[in-house]
Amino acid sequence: VDESELLTVPDGWKEPAFTREDNPKGLLEESSFATLFPKYREAYLKECWPLVQKALGEHYVNAALDLIEGSMTVTTTKKTFDPYAIIRARDLIKLLARSVPFEQVFRILQDDIACDIIKIGSLVRKRETFIKRRARLLGPKGSTLKALELLTNCYIMVQGNTVSALGPFSGLKEVRKVVLDTMKNIHPIYNIKTLMIKRELAKDPELRTQSWERFLPKFKRKNLKKRKEPKKKNTKKEYTPFPPPQPESQIDKELASGEYFLKERQKKRKKMEEIKAKQADAIKKRQEERNKAFIPPKEKPAVKTKKASTEKKIDIEAIKEKVKNAKKKKLGALPEEEVKLKMAVDEKKKRK
């Protein structure tokens, strides 16, 4: 037999169920698990608790509901032969406490069904961002969640800070990946597309043993946020061991210009002259701005009109004749030829 045949599971193969013959003596010790439930689940649990006891009773596991403490407890009995039944019962009460309906929860008691509770509350810092990303996982009118359920064959319940998933092991693995990626700001539609391609590839028996990397899409981020550059960039100056030169004082400047040796009267006169020079420049500029309104605009060069071509001579006599004929005719009256024809027809009718 080839090694590849030994590694692959044949289609339609199912693991045999665990029976009393596998463990005839039962369990030596009693095990129990308890979990708390919120106040709003109390009314629903009251209604469905007889069904829970009946489902667990088939596996010889006792279930107790304490409404005062707000807790659910499951314990094994002497008749319990399956050691994993108590783990399944623990998962059952956990899912019931997390708002999963009983119609879906009782499936956990099957051998090929498992559950996964993904905590998403601590993955995002800001509460507003967390709510947006959780809503993205649901999609418009729950369409994204429904598509994910169909592709993974799992039941998914988004409630508060957790996501409860119930289904086969392979599907739970995919659900966890999609949920964590969504909370890391990767849109679930990308993972859904990949799952759809994988589903089609799994139908081909030749591709089962090959790598699917070449078929799967590779998504790249397009809208990367660029770091905002500051308006004023501080450029570092080259390091020099020598200190900068000492700036010149007001006295040094006056000594260099020779103003230091002038008398007070001369200094005042010089300042006044500088002020008057500045004022004269300002007045000149202001006058130029005002005079702009009186400068006439440049006129466009006159276009020479072309002389009417005298090649085609107009026949004035013919036009005069047409006008005379038109004056003779009365408005709405028939021409003379048509009138004569009409008169002749009327005479023939009279004779007849």
Side-chain angles (χ1 to χ4, degrees), residues 46 60 76 87 104 108 129 151 168 171 188 254 278 329:
K46 267 186 189 178
Y60 303 103
T76 56
I87 304 296
Q104 294 290 337
I108 195 72
T129 313
L151 289 166
E254 286 178 1
K278 283 181 182 178
K329 288 178 183 179

Side-chain angles (χ1 to χ4, degrees), residues 27-297:
L27 304 174
L28 297 172
E29 292 291 331
E30 186 183 287
S31 302
S32 66
F33 287 102
T35 186
L36 298 170
F37 60 86
K39 186 74 177 173
Y40 63 85
R41 291 290 288 168
E42 190 177 317
Y44 180 78
L45 290 170
K46 267 186 189 178
E47 289 178 12
C48 72
W49 197 249
L51 297 169
V52 173
Q53 287 177 323
K54 188 182 177 183
L56 292 173
E58 292 174 5
H59 296 270
Y60 303 103
V61 177
N62 286 338
L65 178 68
D66 191 347
L67 296 173
I68 297 163
E69 286 185 5
S71 65
M72 292 179 282
T73 312
V74 286
T75 52
T76 56
T77 60
K78 289 179 181 179
K79 290 183 179 180
T80 309
F81 61 88
D82 186 0
Y84 202 71
I86 189 67
I87 304 296
R88 296 188 189 283
R90 178 201 66 183
D91 292 341
L92 185 142
I93 59 173
K94 270 188 179 181
L95 292 169
L96 278 172
R98 294 188 181 276
S99 301
V100 181
F102 178 75
E103 289 79 10
Q104 294 290 337
V105 167
F106 83 95
R107 290 169 56 214
I108 195 72
L109 299 171
Q110 298 172 19
D111 287 337
D112 56 342
I113 300 294
C115 75
D116 189 9
I117 295 165
I118 307 153
K119 292 179 181 179
I120 57 173
S122 59
L123 296 174
V124 183
R125 286 183 184 177
K126 290 183 181 179
R127 185 69 184 169
E128 291 175 6
T129 313
F130 168 73
I131 291 162
K132 282 180 183 177
R133 289 180 189 176
R134 187 178 63 183
R136 192 183 292 170
L137 184 64
L138 293 167
K141 296 180 183 178
S143 57
T144 307
L145 198 68
K146 190 68 183 172
L148 198 60
E149 284 180 350
L150 291 169
L151 289 166
T152 56
N153 297 322
C154 293
Y155 174 81
I156 305 162
M157 181 74 182
V158 181
Q159 178 76 11
N161 294 335
T162 57
V163 177
S164 306
L166 183 76
F169 293 97
S170 58
L172 291 174
K173 188 181 175 183
E174 295 294 342
V175 169
R176 178 170 273 274
K177 184 181 178 297
V178 173
V179 170
L180 294 175
D181 282 355
T182 306
M183 300 315 288
K184 289 175 186 173
N185 204 19
I186 298 166
H187 204 281
I189 196 68
Y190 299 126
N191 287 311
I192 286 167
K193 280 184 179 179
T194 308
L195 287 170
M196 286 170 76
I197 293 162
K198 281 181 179 178
R199 196 179 189 180
E200 292 299 316
L201 292 169
K203 293 176 183 177
D204 194 348
E206 292 179 6
L207 294 168
R208 280 187 179 180
T209 55
Q210 295 178 18
S211 176
W212 292 349
E213 283 294 321
R214 64 180 190 274
F215 300 112
L216 300 177
K218 291 175 183 177
F219 301 105
K220 291 180 181 179
R221 287 189 179 184
K222 290 180 182 178
N223 54 344
L224 291 169
K225 286 185 178 179
K226 292 182 179 179
R227 184 177 167 272
K228 288 182 179 179
E229 293 182 356
K231 289 180 180 179
K232 291 179 181 179
K233 290 184 180 180
N234 296 326
T235 53
K236 287 185 177 180
K237 295 175 183 178
E238 291 182 8
Y239 174 74
T240 52
F242 306 106
Q246 193 175 356
E248 288 183 348
S249 65
Q250 190 67 26
I251 296 164
D252 292 337
K253 289 175 182 177
E254 286 178 1
L255 284 167
S257 62
E259 195 180 336
Y260 183 78
F261 304 103
L262 296 172
K263 291 176 182 180
E264 283 295 323
R265 199 184 295 165
Q266 289 173 333
K267 284 179 184 179
K268 283 181 181 179
R269 196 186 298 156
K270 195 177 181 182
K271 279 183 182 178
M272 286 299 291
E273 284 174 4
E274 285 174 2
I275 290 163
K276 281 179 181 178
K278 283 181 182 178
Q279 284 177 352
D281 289 338
I283 290 162
K284 193 180 179 182
K285 284 179 182 177
R286 208 179 302 131
Q287 198 64 37
E288 284 175 2
E289 288 291 327
R290 284 176 183 173
N291 292 337
K292 277 182 183 178
F294 300 104
I295 297 166

Side-chain angles (χ1 to χ4, degrees), residues 8-26:
T8 55
V9 178
D11 294 331
W13 183 84
K14 201 174 183 181
E15 194 175 342
F18 194 87
T19 58
R20 185 170 284 282
E21 293 171 4
D22 297 319
N23 187 17
K25 293 181 180 180

